[in-house]
Amino acid sequence: MPRFTKTMRVPYGPAQCFALVADIARYPDFIKWITALRVSDVREAGPGVQECLGEVVVGFKGFTERFTTRVVADEPAARVTASLVRGPFRKLFAEWRITESVAGASDVSLEINYEFRNPVIAFLAAANHDLAVDRILTAFLAEAQRRYSAPLS
């Protein structure tokens, strides 16, 4: 199963980074290949922990796919995870981890483990995985700059 991890240091505090990553309903606003996302079944799973379903439509290089993930946003742990409920994957798990760095900055890590059922889509994804992870992190940084203007500590 392909596994990709990347960490980026950003000039924003952990609370800001967590708020941005946990705001999955707004992902289509700044990740261009997410064409639609519906959040449902929102519930509190514990103190500072929110769980929901995210039903996603993605379009990439002429392909459109739909999938649903269970998203857990755990603010005390500064972690957001998404695991497969249904869709074109055999397996899917994504995890964002946010840790405080120096001078009010944060290290934001994204790890994605996935395996597609369709071999054609699997081939396209394998050929573009590094680019996709880079673009996701770049999109989040650009959205943080838009939302928060100047970095805050």
Side-chain angles (χ1 to χ4, degrees):
M1 178 163 84
R3 177 182 172 190
F4 309 98
T5 302
K6 185 154 186 166
T7 300
M8 179 188 313
R9 180 157 295 157
V10 298
Y12 300 98
Q16 290 174 309
C17 293
F18 179 84
L20 177 62
V21 170
D23 189 6
I24 66 167
R26 296 202 35 212
Y27 284 13
D29 295 344
F30 60 94
I31 301 176
K32 70 178 189 173
W33 61 82
I34 296 179
T35 59
L37 195 152
R38 185 172 77 93
V39 176
S40 63
D41 296 335
V42 179
R43 69 177 191 87
E44 293 296 317
V49 180
Q50 190 171 66
E51 187 174 305
C52 67
L53 291 179
E55 298 171 62
V56 183
V57 178
V58 295
F60 185 74
K61 296 200 178 213
F63 288 92
T64 300
E65 289 290 346
R66 297 174 187 275
F67 62 94
T68 302
T69 59
R70 178 159 314 283
V71 178
V72 178
D74 185 338
E75 191 168 10
R79 184 176 103 135
V80 176
T81 60
S83 54
L84 181 65
V85 173
R86 66 182 162 273
F89 301 93
R90 284 191 215 295
K91 299 174 185 173
L92 172 65
F93 181 78
E95 179 178 57
W96 291 90
R97 286 175 301 227
I98 299 145
T99 54
E100 189 166 4
S101 185
V102 296
S106 299
D107 288 333
V108 178
S109 297
L110 173 59
E111 179 178 326
I112 302 173
N113 298 309
Y114 70 91
E115 183 179 346
F116 281 100
R117 286 189 183 115
N118 182 317
V120 173
I121 294 173
F123 177 76
L124 286 173
N128 292 287
H129 64 263
D130 288 330
L131 179 62
V133 172
D134 285 343
R135 285 191 177 168
I136 290 169
L137 286 168
T138 299
F140 274 90
L141 179 57
E143 180 65 9
Q145 291 167 336
R146 189 192 69 71
R147 281 190 196 188
Y148 305 129
S149 298
L152 298 176
S153 45

